[in-house]
Amino acid sequence: MSGKWIKVAAPATISNIGPGFDTFGMALNNPFDVIEGKEIDHGVVISEITGPGADSLPSDAGKNSAGIAASAVLEKCGADFGIELKIKKGIRPCSGIGSSGASAAGGAYLANLICGEKLSSGQLVMCAAMAEDVTSGGLHADNVAPSILGGFTAIRSYEPLEVIRIEPPKDLGVVVAMPDVMVSTKEARAVLPTEVSVKDLVFHVGNASSLIHAMVTGDIDLIGRSVKDSVFEPARAHLIPYLKEAEATAMSLGANASFLGGSGPCVISFFSKEKHVGEIIADGIRKMYGDKGMECDTWVTDWGAGCRRL
Ligand code: HSE
């Protein structure tokens, strides 16, 4: 048995977004992975991986986030067939913009299409999050939820899973700056504290609450004031060369907020598209890294839709 090829796009995402460690995330318009799949007799087979960082990714479906997520969907749907996958990475692994999350989300979404869309989006998020658990050193859905649902997402609860989706302001622009350094999520989770103080808890609850309010009401200045993290980014800052300098450069060029994307190394800047030019912020960060002798890729983009069929 061999089905027709189906192709999907699975977007990069930013996670944590200041106070929302493992809870807040946002889908990006660009970049994204493209995943193709078709029904086969049995098993999950990855026949091709291309694009940036493809060489570093396992083609064993039991170790690859797209393969693990697709298997989880097949099992949940009770499918009596398998799937062949071809993955075209648009997002380099170890980037901080949800590379493994995009592949997991795309693998789950694609498998569900092949199975006749039997699962809800919440079930897809859980299947994709299980893949993150295997490949990234901890079950977290803050990349896979926005990659599947699009927009801004907040995970109210993991057990049971409850995800809130919010439409961010149209005017919110995003600059992604990726310095030429690899930071694995496993490594970046290993340096985190296991407990936080009441003072930090109060700080995070205040900023998280106001960030949600600002997303809902479209208040980009308040978004900027609320993207604050007193625990997780400080614990990881030593893993990302010139993080503070990159953030300061972005803020001096009109960004409303500049922060570590997920577990890094990407530096994310939010800006108002009405008031500022993203390319100026991107050029400034690239120049700062260039002056320090480091390469840095940038994307000027905005928030976007979740997984979709191409
Ligand atoms: N919330 C996760 C972390 C995202 O910060 O470890 C990883 O991409």
Side-chain angles (χ1 to χ4, degrees):
M1 183 184 8
S2 179
K4 275 203 307 199
W5 286 101
I6 294 180
K7 195 191 271 192
V8 302
T13 50
I14 41 179
S15 56
N16 300 340
I17 313 183
F21 178 74
D22 276 2
T23 55
F24 291 171
M26 184 187 274
L28 295 175
N29 237 339
N30 222 354
F32 51 85
D33 284 355
V34 174
I35 305 185
E36 285 184 79
K38 70 169 181 180
E39 187 178 323
I40 56 172
D41 284 342
H42 51 79
V44 176
V45 175
I46 298 175
S47 53
E48 190 177 288
I49 309 178
T50 55
D55 292 350
S56 64
L57 292 171
S59 54
D60 174 347
K63 294 184 180 150
N64 180 292
S65 52
I68 298 166
S71 296
V73 170
L74 288 180
E75 195 183 320
K76 222 172 173 45
C77 290
D80 59 358
F81 54 84
I83 291 182
E84 178 179 344
L85 295 172
K86 289 184 186 175
I87 302 164
K88 186 174 172 201
K89 294 298 296 174
I91 310 153
R92 184 201 82 178
C94 300
S95 62
I97 48 170
S99 177
S100 63
S103 289
Y109 186 82
L110 180 61
N112 193 41
L113 284 180
I114 293 174
C115 288
E117 300 187 69
K118 288 197 179 123
L119 302 191
S120 67
S121 56
Q123 288 173 309
L124 289 187
V125 170
M126 220 45 220
C127 289
M130 280 159 53
E132 289 279 71
D133 194 16
V134 177
T135 60
S136 308
L139 190 135
H140 60 96
D142 51 338
N143 291 109
V144 295
S147 189
I148 288 170
L149 299 169
F152 178 96
T153 54
I155 297 165
R156 190 204 64 78
S157 156
Y158 274 91
E159 287 180 38
L161 183 76
E162 186 176 344
V163 182
I164 318 279
R165 183 192 184 281
I166 295 169
E167 195 84 354
K170 294 268 174 278
D171 186 34
L172 182 65
V174 181
V175 175
V176 178
M178 185 169 70
D180 189 16
V181 56
M182 307 282 264
V183 177
S184 81
T185 300
K186 263 186 193 158
E187 174 194 9
R189 289 180 85 86
V191 301
L192 296 178
T194 50
E195 293 184 354
V196 297
S197 68
V198 170
K199 187 174 170 216
D200 286 323
L201 178 67
V202 170
F203 183 81
H204 274 240
V205 170
N207 282 295
S209 311
S210 54
L211 180 55
I212 293 288
H213 177 78
M215 283 287 167
V216 170
T217 58
D219 185 338
I220 293 180
D221 288 337
L222 183 58
I223 289 176
R225 294 199 301 283
S226 308
V227 177
K228 296 279 189 287
D229 173 357
S230 62
V231 177
F232 305 97
E233 181 175 320
R236 289 170 160 169
H238 65 284
L239 300 174
I240 298 95
Y242 308 113
L243 172 64
K244 288 294 145 208
E245 287 85 344
E247 291 175 348
T249 301
M251 297 303 284
S252 74
L253 295 171
N256 290 78
S258 189
F259 55 100
L260 184 63
S263 52
C266 272
V267 182
I268 308 295
S269 304
F270 283 160
F271 67 99
S272 159
K273 291 192 277 185
E274 247 172 41
K275 296 185 187 153
H276 291 283
V277 178
E279 282 74 12
I280 292 177
I281 298 169
D283 291 350
I285 299 176
R286 261 204 326 277
K287 179 172 183 321
M288 187 285 296
Y289 274 109
D291 290 348
K292 306 283 188 195
M294 279 183 75
E295 302 234 328
C296 174
D297 286 336
T298 54
W299 291 264
V300 179
T301 183
D302 47 17
W303 63 271
C307 285
R308 64 257 177 203
R309 192 168 177 169
L310 295 174

